[in-house]
Amino acid sequence: MSLGITLVSHVQEIITGLSALLEQVAKDVSITTAGGTNDEDIGTCMDKILQAFSENKADEILAFYDLGSAKMNLELATEMTSKKIHLYDVAFIEGAYTAATLIEAGVKLTEIEGQLEPLTLKK
Amino acid sequence: MSLTVKNVIEWMNNFSSKIEQNKQFLSDLDTAIGDGDHGFNMSRGMTAVSQKLSTEPKTITDAFKQIAMTLISTVGGASGPLYGTAFLEMAKKSSTSSDIGDLLDAALTGIKKRGGAEPGDKTMVDVWTVLVSEVKTNTLTQEKIDSAVAATKDLVAKKGRASYLGERSKGHVDPGSQSSGYLFKALLETEGIL
Ligand SMILES: Nc1ncnc2c1ncn2[C@@H]1O[C@H](COP(=O)(O)OP(=O)(O)O)[C@@H](O)[C@H]1O
Ligand SMILES: [Mg+2]
């Protein structure tokens, strides 16, 4: 059972940058992204999130997002995929970075969640 | 009275034309306390819905499901998953009830669950909460719709983008509440549903 990461942002460039940051420390972790709307505007899109879930090589995914409306689309996508998705209301960059480094180090999910806990934000 | 595929389509086409006529106004409301896209988001979504419904769905459940999925994939902003969830819940409920009050009640529960907002948070939940109960008691009027929308003006936003403004969100009508007002107005105008 492997763990992967999906990043969801209103802006494509944000996750392009964030993936670069994560890949540097987590070369073996499958990281997939969904940025912007269908017509490449600012926003989020459930279809893109579903695709990011299915493109992810892992069967269990830790998902991180920027603003509240991304969470709504993430939850909708979570209800429509067969993969196991864990959604975290944590600081976007710090949370994703924490998860990426710990997955790369082979740390178990429960322990990763313990490390994410203090990064929780009211989103 | 009762729901039919035909009057659901009429309701949606009416809603769509209200959105179209007021898309600039809705986006202006969103400029004041958000990112200025609500009217354009809803216009994109409802244009796609009208297009989709031009092929008549077989059942009311199918119709609501198609409306939901179209809004979810085309709207883009927070209003996409929120309206999408509302219609998805109406689709589910419509397999066991054809009462519009029951369906709208299920929709409101879905919106609250999806966005985590409660009445008073200055979101569409405020308008839906008041107007769904008016529908249930058969007392929905244009005045009640207008006053429910206007009541969002003096609230401080607790959810959505406007919440980042805190106290400064006061003094502006909530855009999603305004568009929800159009949805209920279109419902009121559609013969045979209420
Ligand atoms: N968490 C929420 N719960 C309920 N309604 C919300 C929530 N967040 C936003 N809304 C509604 O959505 C409207 C904004 O929609 P829109 O501008 O299309 O999306 P965005 O805020 O992503 O740009 C708000 O005016 C509000 O009525
Ligand atoms: Mg907006």
Side-chain angles (χ1 to χ4, degrees):
Chain A
M1 184 204 61
S2 57
L3 297 175
I5 290 178
T6 292
L7 305 172
V8 181
S9 169
H10 281 61
V11 180
Q12 178 60 44
E13 286 83 348
I14 290 180
I15 43 173
T16 305
L18 183 52
S19 319
L21 183 70
L22 304 192
E23 275 156 17
Q24 200 191 17
V25 293
K27 292 190 179 55
D28 307 315
V29 181
S30 180
I31 299 171
T32 53
T33 63
T37 65
N38 267 336
D39 29 16
E40 311 311 330
D41 232 331
I42 293 169
T44 59
C45 161
M46 207 242 354
D47 302 331
K48 280 193 176 182
I49 299 172
L50 266 182
Q51 194 178 341
F53 286 163
S54 75
E55 281 169 0
N56 202 295
K57 294 194 184 71
D59 36 32
E60 205 166 336
I61 296 172
L62 287 72
F64 299 90
Y65 66 94
D66 54 4
L67 298 177
S69 61
K71 179 182 184 177
M72 297 182 212
N73 272 324
L74 254 169
E75 284 177 344
L76 268 173
T78 298
E79 288 162 20
M80 292 182 193
T81 179
S82 53
K83 285 194 177 172
K84 184 142 186 57
I85 312 294
H86 305 274
L87 184 54
Y88 301 102
D89 299 332
V90 295
F92 190 33
I93 296 176
E94 289 82 351
Y97 189 84
T98 301
T101 51
L102 294 178
I103 295 172
E104 182 75 21
V107 174
K108 279 214 282 297
L109 181 63
T110 46
E111 230 173 292
I112 297 175
E113 291 188 331
Q115 299 269 15
L116 288 175
E117 183 70 45
L119 299 175
T120 304
L121 289 180
K122 185 180 154 286
K123 283 200 170 188
Chain B
M1 294 303 221
S2 66
L3 283 167
T4 62
V5 172
K6 283 216 160 44
N7 61 29
V8 168
I9 294 174
E10 199 187 318
W11 176 23
M12 288 304 115
N13 287 338
N14 184 334
F15 179 41
S16 176
S17 72
K18 287 187 179 11
I19 292 290
E20 213 43 45
Q21 279 158 27
N22 295 288
K23 66 179 168 193
Q24 189 61 54
F25 172 55
L26 289 169
S27 289
D28 290 347
L29 290 176
D30 197 28
T31 300
I33 54 171
D35 57 348
D37 61 1
H38 185 60
F40 308 127
N41 288 343
M42 291 304 294
S43 159
R44 196 163 52 231
M46 287 311 298
T47 304
V49 165
S50 286
Q51 174 71 31
K52 184 85 190 170
L53 295 177
S54 62
T55 315
E56 199 172 299
K58 289 211 165 52
T59 65
I60 296 169
T61 304
D62 286 345
F64 284 131
K65 211 177 278 171
Q66 288 177 19
I67 296 163
M69 295 318 292
T70 306
L71 290 174
I72 288 167
S73 345
T74 57
V75 170
S79 48
L82 289 164
Y83 276 105
T85 300
F87 285 106
L88 213 50
E89 293 303 322
M90 289 172 76
K92 281 187 208 155
K93 193 80 195 176
S94 69
S95 59
T96 55
S97 167
S98 60
D99 180 72
I100 183 71
D102 285 351
L103 266 59
L104 289 171
D105 215 16
L108 171 58
T109 305
I111 294 174
K112 288 167 85 170
K113 181 179 152 259
R114 183 66 66 213
E118 287 296 327
D121 289 350
K122 197 183 181 97
T123 70
M124 58 173 78
V125 167
D126 292 312
V127 162
W128 278 74
T129 302
V130 175
L131 300 183
V132 170
S133 46
E134 298 293 352
V135 169
K136 291 179 106 176
T137 51
N138 231 330
T139 48
L140 185 68
T141 61
Q142 181 59 55
E143 294 70 47
K144 284 177 176 156
I145 296 171
D146 290 342
S147 79
V149 171
T152 64
K153 188 167 173 178
D154 293 326
L155 298 172
V156 174
K158 301 271 165 49
K159 283 280 168 185
R161 286 191 189 233
S163 66
Y164 295 97
L165 281 173
E167 284 288 328
R168 296 195 171 227
S169 60
K170 252 190 189 169
H172 305 276
V173 166
D174 171 57
S177 296
Q178 182 69 63
S179 64
S180 298
Y182 297 142
L183 180 71
F184 283 89
K185 190 173 176 203
L187 175 66
L188 191 62
E189 288 169 0
T190 305
E191 211 128 334
I193 300 188
L194 293 181

